[in-house]
Amino acid sequence: LVPGAGHGHDALAWAARGHAVTAVDISPTAVRTLEAMAAQQGVDVEVCLSDLFALRPEWAGTFDVVWEQTCLCAILPEQRSAYVEAMALALRPEGLLYGLFWNHGMEGGPPWDVSVDLVREIFSSHFVVEAVQPVSNSAPSRSNESLITMRPREGTSQNLPSTRRRSRACSAIQSSSRPRGRGCRSAR
């Protein structure tokens, strides 16, 4: 699950390396662009126009990996707990969330500042931080990024509601056995 797929650069990179990828975004323009880019590059990506917080019930507990880059920093601070729950619900109990978080130190947003301490705080209810690595080779405009690896807390998925109805979107790297959702198309 790579939240906030946008034009899908991350989803395409994962797919090009042989991973089964589902990209979800709330923007029809982003979805069309991603479909066209996947076709142009000849990679398979399941592309879904969908709201992240209205996660399809059949997707619960089916993703091996969530790849987070720029979704959390784009959503409103009051939506963060729902976002964390959606990610916990999407992952298999043994799944991992990899997040590339940008601690830019500026007031306001989006993009909102996302420090390592903030990530620990907002994800702690459903995730355990496994590793924090500073990123040294990011674009100069994106300095002070951290790659954070997390796993769901034991028993988390059993304690979450099956769906959330809010107003943002994201995308996902899927397990090969995950059912394709309604409204999703395979792009290549």
Side-chain angles (χ1 to χ4, degrees):
L1 179 57
V2 180
H7 293 163
H9 301 288
D10 293 329
L12 293 167
W14 282 98
R17 285 159 185 80
H19 298 280
V21 178
T22 297
V24 181
D25 205 280
I26 200 165
S27 165
T29 302
V31 166
R32 284 191 301 274
T33 300
L34 174 51
E35 289 172 335
M37 289 176 65
Q40 180 183 26
Q41 293 179 25
V43 296
D44 288 323
V45 177
E46 180 183 16
V47 182
C48 301
L49 177 64
S50 185
D51 182 332
L52 169 67
F53 300 117
L55 188 66
R56 290 180 170 90
E58 67 269 20
W59 288 2
T62 60
F63 292 93
D64 295 319
V65 173
V66 170
W67 171 253
E68 150 65 55
Q69 182 180 355
T70 70
C71 190
L72 182 66
C73 73
I75 63 176
L76 296 171
E78 56 268 17
Q79 294 177 303
R80 290 173 177 164
S81 63
Y83 173 76
V84 170
E85 286 184 13
M87 297 305 96
L89 180 63
L91 276 172
R92 292 174 182 242
E94 66 279 3
L96 292 171
L97 185 149
Y98 296 101
L100 188 60
F101 298 102
W102 186 23
N103 184 197
H104 57 65
M106 296 179 281
E107 293 291 322
W112 304 97
D113 184 43
V114 183
S115 69
V116 172
D117 288 341
L118 178 65
V119 170
R120 288 182 188 278
E121 177 187 329
I122 64 177
F123 281 86
S124 67
S125 59
H126 300 302
F127 288 89
V128 174
V129 173
E130 296 277 308
V132 177
Q133 300 169 295
V135 177
S136 60
N137 61 347
S138 195
S141 63
R142 300 276 306 223
S143 63
N144 206 19
E145 288 183 310
S146 297
L147 177 63
I148 302 177
T149 305
M150 295 177 260
R151 64 175 168 74
R153 288 193 178 280
E154 193 171 325
T156 295
S157 61
Q158 296 91 319
N159 299 322
L160 294 174
S162 62
T163 60
R164 286 280 177 212
R165 307 231 176 258
R166 297 270 194 305
S167 63
R168 276 315 269 186
C170 287
S171 63
I173 296 170
Q174 66 175 355
S175 112
S176 59
S177 62
R178 194 180 60 69
R180 187 171 304 279
R182 289 185 321 238
C184 299
R185 297 185 298 266
S186 181
R188 181 173 195 179

